[in-house]
């Protein structure tokens, strides 16, 4: 049965900004071992993520989702 609510994120005023646009923070999701993004590189990816976050923090707020 189709959704009877025609509202979409765009119709509610939400949008996905371009990476170069002004923003309040960068959101990242910390990888987890059972995730599908990095199945064979979890240990290495943790180090890379940590370095990436350390690079961003002096310049902007980082919000981190952790499962």
């Amino acid at each position: 049965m189709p959704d009877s609510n025609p509202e979409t994120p765009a119709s509610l005023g939400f949008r996905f900004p371009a990476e170069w646009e002004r923003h309040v923070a960068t959101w990242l999701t910390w990888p987890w071992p059972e995730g599908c993004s990095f199945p064979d590189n979890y240990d290495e990816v943790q180090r890379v993520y940590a370095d990436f976050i350390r690079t961003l923090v002096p310049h902007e707020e980082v919000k981190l989702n952790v499962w």
Side-chain angles (χ1 to χ4, degrees):
M1 173 182 253
D3 187 356
S4 61
N5 184 352
E7 293 180 337
T8 64
S11 74
L12 296 171
F14 294 99
R15 67 184 194 83
F16 201 95
E19 62 187 36
W20 60 83
E21 289 186 72
R22 210 174 251 284
H23 54 273
V24 175
T26 292
W27 281 89
L28 298 171
T29 298
W30 191 262
W32 64 99
E34 297 80 20
C36 62
S37 296
F38 311 101
D40 299 321
N41 298 352
Y42 180 69
D43 292 333
E44 168 123 8
V45 167
Q46 288 186 93
R47 287 188 289 277
V48 171
Y49 253 63
D51 288 344
F52 181 51
I53 291 167
R54 278 191 286 274
T55 300
L56 285 175
V57 164
H59 307 285
E60 62 184 80
E61 186 173 352
V62 175
K63 305 239 182 211
L64 190 58
N65 296 307
V66 179
W67 293 88

